[in-house]
Amino acid sequence: MKNILYIALFYCIAFQNAYSQQLKSPDGKFTMEFELQKDGSPSYNLQYKGKTVIKPSKLGLELKNDKKSLLNDFTLADSKTSSFDETWKPVWGEVASIRNYYNELAVTLNQQETNRQIIIRFRLFNDGLGFRYEFPSQKNLVYFVIKEERTQFAMAGDHTAFWIPGDYDTQEYDYTTSKLSEIRGLAEKAKTANLSQTSFATTGVQTSLMMKTNDGLYMNLHEAALLNYSCMHLNLDDKNMVFESWLTPDAKGDKGHIQAPAHSPWRTIIVSDDAREILASKMTLNLNDPCKIEDTSWIKPVKYVGVWWEMITGKSSWSYTDEFPAVQLGVTDYSKAKPNATHGANNANVKKYIDFAASNGFDAVLVEGWNQGWEDWFGHSKDYVFDFVSPYPDFDVKGIHEYAKSKGVKMIMHHETSSSVRNYERHMDKAYQFMKDNGYDAVKSGYVGDILPRGENHYSQWIVNHYQYALEKAADYKIMVNAHEAVRPTGICRTYPNLIGNEAARGTEYQSFGGSKPNHVTMLPFTRLIGGPMDYTPGIFEMDLSKLNPSNNSHVNSTIANQLALYVTLYSPLQMAADLPENYNRFPDAFQFIKDVAVDWSESNYLEAEPGQYVTVARKAKGTNNWFVGNVNGYDSRTSNINFAFLEKGKKYTATIYADAKDAHYKTNPQAYIIRKIEVTNKSKLSQLSVAGGGYAISIIEKK
């Protein structure tokens, strides 16, 4: 009888601990443990320097119309560990080379009842953890529909979070700072106030989600390599402080249609006790595939100007005529329509921007509102679609191309799809060929409005696939893409570096729609920019927008020095000097920094960082020994203290400092700045005032 009890106890313990295995990061600071729980549910936990980051958290997927989901009753079929270490060179970036160094654990799980198999692959880097689900080819799991992914992230406490509400269609929110336990109440208020452009769960947040623990750990939850899958949000069980993945549904409410062999995107957890290391992490890029474009010589960083800010502020218009809707009036020949005096994309105005770009060393000019159809679209005929090749009578495509070419300036195309994605796909080859025929190497695409077909969302699997299709098709034509209103980036730019910019967040345009919080730009590096560069369109010098358009009472919540710093703190290989030429001509000494600052870098050092408060970055311009420093500040005035140890020993440099004046303030005195020059070496230090909503920018040029 005793032997029987011992045997029963042995099997009970063995079943409860069916399998567990630890994985350590290369530097030993992280420990991840995978475990099969007593019911055969896979789970994991994560520690950093002995502190719990993720408590035991379940993994799995719930399937639609299936008797058995991929949640439990698994047994271990195989377990493999490996290490990987390489250094690769990005086409453009914050640094000239990136080390991809991790330890890997791949566990193969069998579900005996269904005879199905999945692989969960973990990669543990020195800056965090990535893991994904893989579905090998097999007889009993070929086509399936995801009802919900049940990946959990169990928090170890009521952390401070920097978040925007879960939303299927937009990320254009100011960030909220709160405890996790406060998200429900604050989100319900936002929903009541109708701040969301669509419905969202009251405990749902979007990634990239930044958090800080009470004991000083910084952590970021996101995803990498979002391909052929729905975008992930996070729902919070605020009683137990457990986040669970929440995928964007399609028009039918399904979360994903999968055909094996396949895999999910990587779920990522970046962790450090130093906020600067969160910003410096390249884990998201490393979890994407290497570049698939064989010849990348045509992909080049771009600094540009354009007519866009005129239109956003209401000074100019996209539409050629006020006789709207033109199609319903039978106006098929726009030469017979009465022109709108404020149409911005006319030959004379565009040539003014080309001249400005040429005389100030800018690469390109972006023109929006050049093509027919804006009258109908702004007239809320949401089924109206553009053809992307038919210009208005006052915009000579060939003539403008020849004029720009004579000045050494490129033109950037604009494709507003009006979210009619099937129409865009039908016209895409013709539109891209039209660009190449007329000397356009880059396109800004837009997806404003409700997705057509109706019922689809901006971040569901089908639309994510469309964005990828447009990107890969553009690569076939050697065209660079800057996608606006698309899904937020997840490091795809490593694989397809012709994706030189995205919006996918609250950009400068919202400064014309009532303003953004003055600390917004201190949030973006910790959140939106974790996945890739943002076309934020900085460089606004006139903060009182009623001076551009008397009916626009918005105020840009930033100082001029802050606007200059954004060219360094918000990394992008695509940077716009967004304001009007006449405003730059009013402040030529400050404008000099925008003319000088680089857009491609060989080194980047994050000198100071605290989410929602301040960010200070130093970057070395690629191919030179010159550096640029940017500091952006939040609500509270502070003194920034940095040293110049990043400079080369034995060299002397001239540092030109563009800083807030003592009486500057983002609201009351935003255009007050001072410029001074000093000599610096790698032993120099600097204490510099940054006012509320302010900052400073420094160009550091080697003395020959």
Side-chain angles (χ1 to χ4, degrees):
M1 181 61 71
K2 285 184 178 180
N3 289 338
I4 293 173
L5 289 174
Y6 287 145
I7 292 171
L9 180 61
F10 171 79
Y11 278 110
C12 181
I13 293 173
F15 186 65
Q16 288 179 359
N17 298 278
Y19 172 78
S20 67
Q21 184 168 341
Q22 284 191 347
L23 182 70
K24 288 188 176 294
S25 60
D27 63 5
K29 293 179 181 178
F30 283 95
T31 301
M32 190 281 300
E33 183 178 23
F34 173 79
E35 184 176 9
L36 277 178
Q37 298 182 356
K38 62 182 181 180
D39 64 348
S41 300
S43 70
Y44 76 102
N45 63 75
L46 181 66
Q47 291 193 336
Y48 173 72
K49 293 183 178 180
K51 293 182 178 180
T52 298
V53 176
I54 303 293
K55 299 193 298 183
S57 302
K58 290 187 176 182
L59 301 168
L61 297 100
E62 183 179 357
L63 306 185
K64 180 182 179 182
N65 299 327
D66 204 300
K67 293 181 179 179
K68 187 72 173 179
S69 290
L70 300 173
L71 295 171
N72 53 22
D73 293 334
F74 287 106
T75 59
L76 178 68
D78 192 18
S79 172
K80 293 180 180 179
T81 59
S82 60
S83 295
F84 186 81
D85 191 4
E86 69 167 0
T87 298
W88 58 279
K89 296 183 181 298
V91 175
W92 44 258
E94 296 182 85
V95 292
S97 62
I98 295 174
R99 189 180 187 187
N100 186 11
Y101 187 25
Y102 60 82
N103 292 330
E104 180 175 283
L105 168 65
V107 291
T108 302
L109 304 177
N110 281 342
Q111 194 176 52
Q112 293 182 338
E113 181 180 336
T114 62
N115 196 26
R116 291 171 172 173
Q117 189 175 87
I118 66 170
I119 299 170
I120 305 178
R121 189 176 304 275
F122 299 89
R123 289 181 181 172
L124 196 53
F125 301 78
N126 290 338
D127 42 352
L129 174 67
F131 60 90
R132 72 180 184 187
Y133 304 95
E134 299 179 2
F135 313 102
S137 295
Q138 56 196 290
K139 180 179 179 180
N140 294 330
L141 190 66
V142 182
Y143 301 98
F144 59 98
V145 179
I146 298 174
K147 184 176 181 180
E148 190 58 84
E149 183 184 318
R150 297 297 181 188
T151 302
Q152 292 184 347
F153 305 86
M155 299 293 99
D158 189 8
H159 306 326
T160 298
F162 308 87
W163 58 278
I164 55 177
D167 196 313
Y168 299 148
D169 286 294
T170 183
Q171 293 183 304
E172 296 175 340
Y173 291 94
D174 264 320
Y175 282 86
T176 297
T177 302
S178 76
K179 291 292 187 180
L180 296 178
S181 58
E182 298 172 326
I183 289 177
R184 179 186 297 273
L186 293 170
E188 285 177 344
K189 287 182 180 179
K191 191 172 183 179
T192 301
N194 198 29
L195 296 179
S196 174
Q197 296 180 18
T198 185
S199 60
F200 60 88
T202 54
T203 57
V205 298
Q206 297 193 50
T207 70
S208 166
L209 174 65
M210 188 68 198
M211 290 174 285
K212 183 179 181 181
T213 70
N214 291 334
D215 56 355
L217 281 187
Y218 300 86
M219 67 180 72
N220 185 282
L221 304 182
H222 194 31
E223 62 181 322
L226 174 57
L227 296 164
N228 194 21
Y229 206 84
S230 293
C231 173
M232 180 184 73
H233 306 311
L234 299 171
N235 262 339
L236 176 64
D237 172 359
D238 49 11
K239 292 183 179 179
N240 298 299
M241 297 301 166
V242 177
F243 282 110
E244 187 171 271
S245 58
W246 161 47
L247 303 182
T248 304
D250 63 16
K252 295 181 179 179
D254 297 332
K255 299 299 183 79
H257 292 253
I258 308 298
Q259 178 182 352
H263 56 75
S264 73
W266 297 92
R267 280 61 187 101
T268 62
I269 308 166
I270 303 173
V271 185
S272 180
D273 50 13
D274 187 336
R276 298 174 298 174
E277 293 183 355
I278 301 292
L279 302 181
S281 172
K282 298 296 179 287
M283 194 179 85
T284 306
L285 290 175
N286 280 329
L287 287 167
N288 279 266
D289 288 341
C291 180
K292 291 187 176 181
I293 301 175
E294 185 173 346
D295 173 22
T296 60
S297 61
W298 52 274
I299 302 173
K300 300 181 184 299
V302 177
K303 194 188 299 184
Y304 71 106
V305 297
V307 300
W308 169 82
W309 190 241
E310 290 188 23
M311 297 170 173
I312 287 295
T313 58
K315 182 179 186 293
S316 298
S317 67
W318 278 270
S319 302
Y320 172 75
T321 178
D322 285 332
E323 293 179 346
F324 122 91
V327 172
Q328 291 183 16
L329 288 174
V331 181
T332 55
D333 183 356
Y334 274 87
S335 64
K336 298 178 181 179
K338 181 180 179 181
N340 186 336
T342 62
H343 182 228
N346 65 76
N347 291 329
N349 194 37
V350 171
K351 286 181 178 180
K352 180 184 74 172
Y353 280 90
I354 293 172
D355 291 341
F356 182 78
S359 62
N360 289 284
F362 287 83
D363 303 300
V365 174
L366 167 69
V367 179
E368 302 191 20
W370 67 276
N371 55 327
Q372 297 177 13
W374 289 89
E375 297 82 8
D376 298 273
W377 191 54
F378 280 131
H380 305 291
S381 177
K382 290 301 185 182
D383 290 317
Y384 182 81
V385 289
F386 298 96
D387 69 4
F388 314 105
V389 297
S390 300
Y392 282 127
D394 60 349
F395 186 77
D396 179 0
V397 175
K398 184 177 180 180
I400 287 294
H401 162 56
E402 291 175 349
Y403 185 81
K405 185 177 181 181
S406 73
K407 298 282 186 175
V409 174
K410 287 282 188 179
M411 298 299 296
I412 300 176
M413 178 59 73
H414 181 235
H415 288 167
E416 177 49 65
T417 70
S418 66
S419 285
S420 182
V421 295
R422 282 300 191 211
N423 174 69
Y424 191 38
E425 290 176 357
R426 284 194 296 269
H427 287 86
M428 198 173 287
D429 280 291
K430 186 177 180 181
Y432 284 161
Q433 187 60 55
F434 180 81
M435 287 177 58
K436 299 306 292 183
D437 292 343
N438 290 282
Y440 289 80
D441 297 330
V443 61
K444 173 185 175 182
S445 57
Y447 294 86
V448 176
D450 297 333
I451 293 289
L452 298 174
R454 297 191 184 279
E456 282 292 345
N457 299 301
H458 277 75
Y459 308 147
S460 58
Q461 180 187 27
W462 186 72
I463 306 301
V464 167
N465 288 348
H466 162 78
Y467 302 138
Q468 188 65 27
Y469 174 77
L471 179 62
E472 294 183 24
K473 177 68 73 172
D476 292 341
Y477 286 86
K478 295 187 176 181
I479 287 173
M480 298 180 289
V481 174
N482 168 26
H484 281 230
E485 294 87 33
V487 69
R488 76 283 196 281
T490 57
I492 301 294
C493 56
R494 178 190 179 185
T495 313
Y496 291 93
N498 63 317
L499 183 62
I500 59 169
N502 280 89
E503 185 191 37
R506 188 182 182 95
T508 299
E509 64 185 350
Y510 274 83
Q511 299 282 19
S512 180
F513 305 155
S516 294
K517 293 178 181 178
N519 71 337
H520 182 59
V521 293
T522 70
M523 296 282 201
L524 290 173
F526 289 98
T527 52
R528 162 62 183 78
L529 273 79
I530 293 295
M534 179 182 178
D535 183 28
Y536 185 74
T537 61
I540 305 302
F541 280 13
E542 179 51 71
M543 314 305 175
D544 181 359
L545 299 187
S546 66
K547 294 182 179 179
L548 278 68
N549 173 15
S551 63
N552 189 332
N553 296 316
S554 296
H555 181 88
V556 178
N557 293 322
S558 166
T559 67
I560 284 182
N562 178 285
Q563 289 290 309
L564 298 180
L566 295 175
Y567 290 91
V568 185
T569 61
L570 298 185
Y571 168 68
S572 179
L574 177 76
Q575 292 281 22
M576 184 182 195
D579 212 337
L580 279 58
E582 49 263 43
N583 288 332
Y584 292 134
N585 291 335
R586 290 166 55 202
F587 304 98
D589 53 352
F591 183 55
Q592 187 64 44
F593 182 83
I594 300 179
K595 293 166 62 176
D596 293 340
V597 69
V599 288
D600 199 16
W601 312 98
S602 59
E603 294 181 46
S604 292
N605 292 322
Y606 287 89
L607 307 178
E608 301 176 307
E610 186 65 29
Q613 297 184 35
Y614 53 84
V615 173
T616 308
V617 191
R619 304 191 194 273
K620 185 179 182 181
K622 188 174 288 185
T624 77
N625 203 26
N626 300 328
W627 289 77
F628 294 85
V629 177
N631 163 271
V632 289
N633 193 37
Y635 282 100
D636 300 321
S637 179
R638 66 181 291 270
T639 298
S640 171
N641 294 296
I642 64 172
N643 66 63
F644 294 86
F646 52 84
L647 298 177
E648 186 176 345
K649 291 182 180 179
K651 300 283 188 179
K652 293 182 180 180
Y653 301 79
T654 299
T656 305
I657 303 171
Y658 304 77
D660 297 317
K662 289 183 178 180
D663 59 345
H665 188 274
Y666 75 89
K667 200 72 172 178
T668 59
N669 198 14
Q671 294 173 324
Y673 61 88
I674 55 174
I675 301 175
R676 71 184 193 276
K677 292 180 182 288
I678 59 174
E679 183 181 280
V680 296
T681 69
N682 75 311
K683 296 180 180 180
S684 300
K685 296 181 180 181
L686 175 70
S687 294
Q688 180 61 55
L689 172 70
S690 290
V691 304
Y696 60 84
I698 311 174
S699 62
I700 307 173
I701 310 302
E702 180 185 359
K703 298 182 74 172
K704 301 294 185 180

